[in-house]
């Protein structure tokens, strides 16, 4: 039997941009991506702590050490600059493996989204 479990999470990052005229996705500082074990194109769930919105999109890397968290395309309508988000990805695995698995959890500096 397999179950879906949390693979990676970036906890409490601040939205730095919302670009309605871009073709979808979320742009994430590549340093944050590496720390969370996220990869380009990976599907992520976005939880907005400010308004309760939940949505899914895919990741594109942003400049390192920028702290960038930009929602692009239609997702830009679900956030405001300054909103606090939780970004989560999931994976499927055998239940016995899941019992031993430790997800990548990242808690960046809330003031600037950097890994300080």
């Amino acid at each position: 039997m397999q179950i879906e479990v949390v693979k990676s999470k970036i906890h409490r990052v601040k939205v730095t941009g919302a670009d309605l005229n871009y073709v979808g996705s979320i742009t994430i500082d590549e340093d944050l991506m590496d720390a969370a074990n996220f990869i380009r194109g990976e599907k992520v769930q976005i939880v907005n702590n400010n308004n309760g919105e939940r949505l899914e999109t895919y990741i594109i890397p942003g400049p390192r050490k920028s702290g960038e968290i930009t929602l692009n395309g239609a997702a830009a309508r679900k956030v405001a600059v300054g909103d606090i988000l939780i970004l989560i990805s999931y994976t499927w695995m055998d239940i016995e493996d899941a019992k031993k698995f430790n997800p990548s959890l990242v808690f960046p500096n809330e003031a600037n989204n950097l890994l300080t």
Side-chain angles (χ1 to χ4, degrees), residues 5 37 45 49 51 67 73 76 90-91 93 103 114:
V5 297
N37 197 27
Q45 180 182 47
N49 283 3
N51 63 20
Y90 301 88
T91 190
M93 62 177 58
L114 298 179

Side-chain angles (χ1 to χ4, degrees), residues 7-8 28 33-34 36-44 58-61 89:
K7 177 187 85 66
S8 306
I28 301 174
M33 288 177 58
D34 289 347
N37 197 27
F38 284 157
I39 63 167
R40 174 191 309 261
E42 184 172 3
K43 181 171 94 171
V44 288
Y58 63 93
I59 298 169
I60 60 173
S89 69

Side-chain angles (χ1 to χ4, degrees), residues 3-78:
I3 62 169
E4 190 174 21
V5 297
V6 173
K7 177 187 85 66
S8 306
K9 179 170 87 164
I10 299 177
H11 191 75
R12 297 187 60 86
V13 287
K14 192 181 300 183
V15 174
T16 60
D19 185 355
L20 185 60
N21 295 313
Y22 192 86
V23 186
S25 71
I26 181 171
T27 304
I28 301 174
D29 176 323
E30 201 163 1
D31 287 338
L32 291 172
M33 288 177 58
D34 289 347
N37 197 27
F38 284 157
I39 63 167
R40 174 191 309 261
E42 184 172 3
K43 181 171 94 171
V44 288
Q45 180 182 47
I46 300 166
V47 180
N48 187 327
N49 283 3
N50 292 79
N51 63 20
E53 289 281 356
R54 289 177 173 255
L55 62 118
E56 293 178 340
T57 191
Y58 63 93
I59 298 169
I60 60 173
R64 291 186 182 278
K65 301 194 182 349
S66 66
E68 181 175 0
I69 301 292
T70 299
L71 277 291
N72 302 304
R77 293 200 183 273
K78 303 290 188 177

Side-chain angles (χ1 to χ4, degrees), residues 103-115:
S104 299
L105 306 175
V106 178
F107 299 88
N109 181 322
E110 284 188 46
N112 59 15
N113 293 340
L114 298 179
L115 299 169

